[in-house]
Amino acid sequence: MRVHVMSGLTRATAGTAVCGLALAALVAGGDASANATPATSVVINEVYGGGGNSGATYTNDFIELTNRSDAAVSLDGWSVQYHAGGATGTWQVTTLSGSIAPGGFYLVGEAKGAGGTQALPETQASGGIAMSATSGTVALVSGTTALTCADPAACQSASVDLVGYGTAALRETAPAAGASNTASVQRSDKADSDDNSADFTAGNPTPGAANAGGGGGDGGGGEPGPLRIHDIQGASWLSPHNNEHVTNVPGIVTAIRTTGSSRGYWIQDPTPDADPATSEGLFVYSTSPGVAVGDSVLVSGTVKDYYPLASGDTVQNTSNLSVTEISGASASVLSHGDALPAAEVITPTTVPSAYAPDLGGANIESTPVTPDRSALDFWESREGMRVEVDDARVVGPSNAYGEQYVTTKPSQAPTYRGGTELRAENAVPSGRVEVVPVDGSDPGVSVGDVFQGATGGPVDYSLYGGYTIAATQVGTVRHKNLPPVVATPQSRRQLAVATYNVENLAPGDPADKYTRLAQGVVTNLAKPDIVAVEEVQDNTGATDNGVVAADQTLTKLTAAIVAAGGPKYDWREIDPVNDQDGGQPGGNIRVVFLFNPARVSFVDRGSSSVNRSTTPAAVQKLRGKPALSLSPGRIDPANAAWNASRKPLAGEFRFRNEPVFVIANHFDSKLGDQNADGRFQYPAQASAEQRAAQATAVHDFVGELQRVDRKANVVVLGDLNDYQFSPALSVLRTGSPTGHGRPILTDLISTLPRDERYTYVYDGISEVLDHILVSPGIRGVRYQVVHINAEYTEQTSDHDPQVLRLTP
């Protein structure tokens, strides 16, 4: 599950943990007096008496005030008072203190009910009045003595403002209609007329956010404050005004996001400054925006550098970058239908060629924003601003969250099928950028597809993919209809060995997943003789109940392969010790050998009484040839390198009377590494040390086989969770992280043409995680990566399989 967190709070909570302000249009005016003329200063903006009632979202009743003047007003010695609204009864008093800024809002919390699921935003005053959800009267009084009035004229004269709702006898002209357990009455976007029925409408309660009707003023008033957007953004990664309250920041609303956990809208200043490092765009966090695209607004609120956090992260330890935003915002709508600032068109030469600067692991936030230094700098200098990419090619497929990636540099590190490739450590393609439609739609695109025409919107940042175009416009999709790869079948004399990560395969998975996996093995992999399968879960899947056997999972998989026209595969595997091999808790994922007994035989060796999950397999010499003491067996399972990680599965096969040793692997994942899109550059890879230790254990085991027979047929394969140029793969091949040792294995991915070296697509980057390596004694090698998953929006697994054909 994906949860955005801010300072330890969920994103929804964090957005309401600041001063409760609502959006409003402002007008200039003098201080209010207790008379019956229309109010032009502090007025009642919203009344809600359904808090905590059946069906309510909020747990408390509330009264909200707004200051419609251009000067702060002190509320010391003032009160809000409530009356049941009938001809009889008494007034209940909640005293106020403090002041209310121009355009500001003042939230008064009242009684809490037994229902509701959401607390009010931070209040500026609180009382215990239990207000009626459907009918009552609220008065704003410049004093704290309870009113004694009992008729509308007297109460209006005694109050700064008076609101009656439902059937209230005490009201201005006629009561506002529509109040209920789930609806408040809210001041509409026009001047106060002293007619509650005309001035107020019913809508979803919006404490600390915009009124459903658009605000609480009459429109057209207010003057810009002292700060512009570029002042708030500054020329640094963090706002120079972080955590400060700002008033009347001008801008044009360019986009609104009403879905997800980070709702709100973007504003952009149409009159930029001359500094290329300062952005002219800004996000305004609001769960109920109440503005429209094209509105000219003045926004007040608190500046926050918001860090999207993964589970367990804190602001102090996250490697993600922040988004500068205004929280707890109020807005003055000055006009509607204004022209939007022109979007900057991003061409292949616009973004720098380097994705990130090499800072030796230091925090990029300690450096000035330098737009021509790197892609990270470039996008930061445009944060919140409108950009446009024309005829953008898709390099990362749509996922379940409506996210996809395009490239702004079509000729940068292209793959032969249309992706963009990672070709060296810390060499993220700088042209790649995420696209997420703000309306939550899913374009359903795969690698190689093109968004014809313009795709554009404000620049945003996501912890799941770096800088993002929050797209208000998405080009017309032109599908490439990328054909799945089909492997060449092996000949009678060739042994075919494949590897396939089946992504947490469990018995409870839909039948369609088994069918599609089977089709991949039968049709696309062309019925390999041996398949090393990674991420096979136990018989109860992710249920953490002590079950470790996986025979039901494997029975379903092999039966599906037969149904798809494949051979009846046999299997060998070793059940792990419960919850000791990492992966999804309770799943007990493991690596498994499937093999076609009509083509290849498995050499079972070792006593059945041996606990193979904890007993290491050793290399023996039998009749002058290498053999395994345990087949199937595990390599050094007690080695700390395998803590909370899958143990390699070693097996001895015979093909045409020739011994072939296959070692299936699933190395430690990259979880816990710093974000390549984040603030520490280049990012630290804490997991790399464990993978290098795992590679050492496998390398040394292969070395033992080769010491007995230097021409031994050895295949090492699986999901190694690292790149072909990584230290772990250098260790596996040569025993040295620098690759300077004598190679005992050849990584076949490196024998392919440069634009074909990938097995996985992560955040729009085609990269290598899965490998097949062979010993020098193997001849007649034919190798293919079979692209059937990673490039497509419809995936059976997130990995692509690969297959080797060899002649032992």
Side-chain angles (χ1 to χ4, degrees):
M1 181 176 70
R2 292 162 50 121
V3 177
H4 289 265
V5 180
M6 177 177 173
S7 300
L9 303 175
T10 64
R11 186 65 171 92
T13 303
T16 58
V18 293
C19 183
L21 304 178
L23 296 171
L26 305 179
V27 294
D31 290 341
S33 61
N35 56 35
T37 60
T40 57
S41 182
V42 180
V43 293
I44 297 168
N45 184 61
E46 186 172 1
V47 175
Y48 178 55
N53 292 358
S54 175
T57 298
Y58 291 99
T59 57
N60 290 70
D61 300 338
F62 69 83
I63 301 163
E64 188 175 65
L65 312 178
T66 184
N67 180 1
R68 300 167 53 171
S69 75
D70 57 2
V73 176
S74 173
L75 299 181
D76 289 339
W78 288 37
S79 64
V80 290
Q81 303 192 22
Y82 173 78
H83 190 284
T88 61
T90 58
W91 290 87
Q92 301 177 66
V93 179
T94 298
T95 58
L96 310 179
S97 63
S99 64
I100 181 168
F105 282 71
Y106 190 104
L107 186 62
V108 183
E110 295 293 357
K112 183 177 182 180
T117 58
Q118 186 172 333
L120 295 178
E122 181 180 336
T123 58
Q124 287 69 61
S126 60
I129 301 173
M131 298 160 54
S132 168
T134 57
S135 182
T137 302
V138 173
L140 174 62
V141 181
S142 58
T144 59
T145 301
L147 297 176
T148 57
C149 58
D151 66 81
C155 291
Q156 192 170 358
S157 178
S159 307
V160 175
D161 195 20
L162 185 75
V163 176
Y165 59 98
T167 59
L170 306 177
R171 74 275 179 145
E172 292 181 351
T173 307
S180 69
N181 286 357
T182 57
S184 66
V185 291
Q186 308 167 15
R187 188 173 291 276
S188 57
D189 190 9
K190 58 184 179 181
D192 181 54
S193 69
D194 275 354
D195 183 347
N196 295 156
S197 65
D199 293 342
F200 284 80
T201 57
N204 293 328
T206 57
N211 287 351
D218 67 352
E223 295 294 331
L227 297 178
R228 308 297 285 248
I229 292 173
H230 49 252
D231 298 318
I232 294 171
Q233 288 282 11
S236 57
W237 297 80
L238 300 178
S239 171
H241 298 280
N242 190 28
N243 293 320
E244 294 180 13
H245 185 82
V246 294
T247 302
N248 285 7
V249 179
I252 306 295
V253 177
T254 61
I256 301 173
R257 182 165 56 208
T258 58
T259 61
S261 60
S262 185
R263 302 183 183 188
Y265 56 97
W266 286 267
I267 59 174
Q268 185 168 334
D269 195 327
T271 56
D273 67 0
D275 188 346
T278 58
S279 172
E280 302 295 339
L282 191 64
F283 184 68
V284 180
Y285 175 70
S286 174
T287 56
S288 182
V291 295
V293 171
D295 283 354
S296 175
V297 295
L298 301 176
V299 178
S300 302
T302 302
V303 176
K304 294 288 185 181
D305 270 299
Y306 163 66
Y307 288 93
L309 303 180
S311 178
D313 278 359
T314 65
V315 171
Q316 290 70 35
N317 70 18
T318 184
S319 64
N320 295 313
L321 290 165
S322 68
V323 175
T324 301
E325 65 182 31
I326 294 180
S327 295
S330 63
S332 162
V333 180
L334 303 180
S335 60
H336 304 291
D338 289 64
L340 304 188
E344 179 182 8
V345 179
I346 308 299
T347 70
T349 60
T350 306
V351 182
S353 58
Y355 185 75
D358 184 359
L359 303 176
N363 189 343
I364 198 171
E365 294 172 340
S366 65
T367 71
V369 175
T370 311
D372 60 356
R373 176 175 62 169
S374 72
L376 290 181
D377 290 271
F378 175 86
W379 292 117
E380 175 66 16
S381 71
R382 273 83 171 166
E383 181 185 84
M385 294 178 64
R386 298 183 71 226
V387 297
E388 175 185 317
V389 184
D390 295 333
D391 298 328
R393 190 181 79 237
V394 175
V395 296
S398 302
N399 63 20
Y401 305 101
E403 303 161 341
Q404 44 274 306
Y405 293 81
V406 300
T407 180
T408 67
K409 297 177 180 291
S411 62
Q412 183 184 53
T415 70
Y416 78 112
R417 287 163 60 87
T420 185
E421 197 171 79
L422 185 69
R423 293 181 175 173
E425 202 77 64
N426 297 309
V428 174
S430 64
R432 148 268 197 190
V433 65
E434 186 179 16
V435 172
V436 182
V438 294
D439 62 4
S441 62
D442 180 3
V445 292
S446 297
V447 168
D449 293 348
V450 172
F451 289 120
Q452 286 186 305
T455 295
V459 175
D460 196 17
Y461 181 87
S462 164
L463 85 131
Y464 301 105
Y467 285 97
T468 297
I469 299 174
T472 57
Q473 179 182 11
V474 177
T476 303
V477 176
R478 186 183 75 215
H479 291 289
K480 184 176 181 178
N481 296 317
L482 201 62
V485 172
V486 177
T488 303
Q490 67 272 27
S491 70
R492 184 173 61 87
R493 292 179 174 272
Q494 289 177 316
L495 174 68
V497 185
T499 177
Y500 198 171
N501 182 317
V502 293
E503 194 176 8
N504 288 319
L505 184 65
D509 285 341
D512 180 64
K513 178 172 183 176
Y514 282 90
T515 298
R516 295 180 65 178
L517 287 173
Q519 290 170 344
V521 171
V522 174
T523 301
N524 301 94
L525 285 172
K527 307 175 187 177
D529 302 310
I530 301 169
V531 186
V533 185
E534 299 88 46
E535 290 198 20
V536 172
Q537 292 195 345
D538 64 37
N539 291 337
T540 58
T543 302
D544 197 355
N545 55 2
V547 172
V548 294
D551 56 297
Q552 295 176 26
T553 313
L554 293 168
T555 297
K556 288 190 69 172
L557 178 59
T558 53
I561 291 172
V562 171
K568 184 172 177 55
Y569 284 103
D570 201 349
W571 72 75
R572 295 292 187 275
E573 56 95 21
I574 297 173
D575 293 337
V577 177
N578 187 47
D579 288 339
Q580 296 301 304
D581 280 19
Q584 192 173 16
N588 289 307
I589 57 173
R590 81 287 310 276
V591 291
V592 175
F593 290 130
L594 303 183
F595 63 95
N596 180 1
R599 290 266 300 162
V600 65
S601 60
F602 189 87
V603 179
D604 290 292
R605 188 178 288 114
S607 171
S608 60
S609 64
V610 172
N611 185 345
R612 295 179 187 238
S613 63
T614 58
T615 304
V619 175
Q620 300 175 330
K621 188 174 184 179
L622 295 179
R623 296 181 290 278
K625 294 293 183 180
L628 302 181
S629 63
L630 294 174
S631 177
R634 285 182 156 189
I635 296 176
D636 198 9
N639 190 325
W642 309 113
N643 286 350
S645 185
R646 284 68 54 186
K647 284 68 175 172
L649 184 67
E652 188 175 336
F653 295 85
R654 297 193 75 84
F655 177 73
R656 297 177 63 85
N657 208 34
E658 287 290 333
V660 179
F661 298 92
V662 182
I663 301 171
N665 303 271
H666 187 182
F667 282 6
D668 188 51
S669 75
K670 291 179 176 288
L671 290 176
D673 291 358
Q674 289 179 346
N675 188 351
D677 303 311
R679 54 182 175 173
F680 300 108
Q681 295 296 338
Y682 292 143
Q685 299 183 44
S687 64
E689 183 177 349
Q690 184 170 2
R691 285 192 300 278
Q694 293 174 339
T696 297
V698 176
H699 170 274
D700 292 350
F701 191 84
V702 173
E704 292 179 27
L705 289 167
Q706 293 181 354
R707 274 190 288 275
V708 178
D709 181 1
R710 63 185 179 87
K711 293 184 179 181
N713 298 307
V714 184
V715 179
V716 176
L717 75 176
D719 177 4
L720 303 184
N721 268 316
D722 222 334
Y723 314 128
Q724 68 272 33
F725 38 75
S726 67
L729 267 294
S730 293
V731 169
L732 188 56
R733 292 184 294 103
T734 69
S736 165
T738 63
H740 291 148
R742 179 181 66 84
I744 65 171
L745 291 167
T746 298
D747 190 0
L748 295 181
I749 197 78
S750 298
T751 67
L752 295 178
R754 189 171 64 164
D755 62 355
E756 297 182 21
R757 298 175 188 175
Y758 63 99
T759 69
Y760 191 82
V761 179
Y762 178 73
D763 284 357
I765 304 169
S766 297
E767 59 191 40
V768 179
L769 293 184
D770 310 85
H771 299 256
I772 297 180
L773 301 94
V774 296
S775 60
I778 289 181
R779 296 290 185 264
V781 171
R782 298 291 184 270
Y783 168 71
Q784 290 177 279
V785 178
V786 179
H787 299 294
I788 57 175
N789 291 316
E791 296 171 310
Y792 298 92
T793 182
E794 296 292 336
Q795 301 179 351
T796 309
S797 167
D798 51 350
H799 291 252
D800 283 332
Q802 48 194 298
V803 62
L804 158 71
R805 302 189 305 280
L806 60 94
T807 306

